[in-house]
Amino acid sequence: MDDSYVLLIEDNQNRAAGIEKELPDQAKLSVIGDARNALHILMRNTFDLIALNGLLNGVQGLFTYLYDLRQAKNTMLLLYPVRDSDARAHFFKCFDMCLAEENPRECAAAISTLLRWPGVGAVREGDFPPGHIIYKELALDLERQAVVMRGEPVELTTVEFRVLFLLASNPGILFSRDRIYDRLWGIDHPYGVMGVSNFISSIRRKLGLSPKDREYIRTVHGAGYQFGKWNFEKRG
């Protein structure tokens, strides 16, 4: 196994030390004990795997960003402890593995297992920048929340960027308004499902796209929205 970079979001120092002790030398572990500060670390660094204690204060605020990383960078996600079996079944839709307990040895074993799965490290440096999406004349930079269209920077709001990045990270996948809303905000948010259409319209306008555009963001009437045909380009 090549060197892999792991971020552990855990505030219990003894547990973190126990996990690190059980990991192979190739797993390069970084530990942060404050879930609220973890976002700054994630925006400045690339990790192959992120393991997090789901009981920490503020950790659920990271979930949407972690899901986007999983789609954009193939980042593995491990969540613990999830003691309720129904809750584990729910979280398995978004996390690669969920553990019932926070036992350090079990956590380390799960991390080691995930790092051996195909896909981790498959994208090597030089293939394309991590967190970058390049499609035709559109470029997205996740870490800087930057958008360039036809060589010109485009100012999107944070919400608009998240909607566009979700679609562009899943080329060819049809997203209903309900699915976009649930993926980005869940049920307890003031935007509402109808707000998704307004965000799409605003994104198209700012990108200089027609409402009938079929190359970038397609409207599939009665079904939802679909990002155009995928074509990664290399950037040196």
Side-chain angles (χ1 to χ4, degrees):
M1 183 176 70
D2 295 333
D3 286 352
S4 300
Y5 295 90
V6 179
L7 177 65
L8 175 63
I9 305 174
E10 171 62 70
D11 65 349
N12 186 301
Q13 295 182 359
N14 291 333
R15 186 178 300 126
I19 293 173
E20 185 172 20
K21 179 182 177 181
E22 298 290 335
L23 289 176
D25 292 338
Q26 295 90 338
K28 308 303 181 183
L29 185 69
S30 300
V31 181
I32 184 167
D34 187 341
R36 294 181 178 86
N37 290 331
L39 182 60
H40 300 290
I41 303 297
L42 291 169
M43 293 180 69
R44 290 169 173 79
N45 300 275
T46 298
F47 296 95
D48 296 298
L49 185 148
I50 299 167
L52 63 156
N53 185 332
L55 300 181
L56 298 185
N57 290 332
V59 74
Q60 292 191 4
L62 294 174
F63 283 2
T64 297
Y65 188 84
L66 293 177
Y67 301 158
D68 288 341
L69 284 180
R70 189 171 185 243
Q71 293 292 332
K73 299 185 179 182
N74 203 26
T75 304
M76 293 285 187
L77 301 179
L78 168 66
L79 179 67
Y80 68 90
V82 186
R83 297 185 174 90
D84 183 79
S85 59
D86 290 337
R88 285 199 301 276
H90 170 75
F91 281 118
F92 262 122
K93 298 176 182 178
C94 305
F95 288 82
D96 296 283
M97 191 175 293
C98 299
L99 302 179
E101 303 295 335
E102 59 265 58
N103 180 281
R105 182 168 293 180
E106 290 185 11
C107 289
I111 291 171
S112 298
T113 298
L114 288 172
L115 291 176
R116 288 194 295 268
W117 282 9
V120 173
V123 178
R124 298 299 182 185
E125 184 177 356
D127 288 345
F128 52 85
H132 285 56
I133 292 175
I134 304 172
Y135 176 75
K136 295 189 176 181
E137 296 180 290
L138 174 66
L140 304 178
D141 183 339
L142 174 62
E143 296 182 355
R144 297 172 180 80
Q145 194 175 306
V147 180
V148 175
M149 182 65 164
R150 302 186 181 99
E152 296 294 331
V154 177
E155 294 291 335
L156 297 183
T157 67
T158 297
V159 174
E160 290 168 349
F161 183 87
R162 289 173 62 189
V163 172
L164 179 59
F165 196 88
L166 172 64
L167 295 175
S169 299
N170 297 273
I173 302 300
L174 181 62
F175 282 86
S176 66
R177 290 184 304 184
D178 287 328
R179 188 178 179 190
I180 293 173
Y181 180 81
D182 182 66
R183 180 67 181 276
L184 295 182
W185 298 292
I187 59 174
D188 297 321
H189 204 282
Y191 288 129
V193 173
M194 295 302 296
V196 172
S197 297
N198 294 331
F199 289 126
I200 294 291
S201 296
S202 180
I203 291 167
R204 282 176 172 153
R205 177 176 54 80
K206 292 181 178 181
L207 294 179
L209 302 174
S210 163
K212 297 181 180 180
D213 168 68
R214 297 186 61 81
E215 290 191 20
Y216 293 91
I217 304 174
R218 305 182 183 190
T219 297
V220 181
H221 292 288
Y225 303 98
Q226 183 181 50
F227 194 81
K229 191 174 180 181
W230 194 240
N231 181 25
F232 265 126
E233 296 178 3
K234 294 184 179 181
R235 279 281 182 91

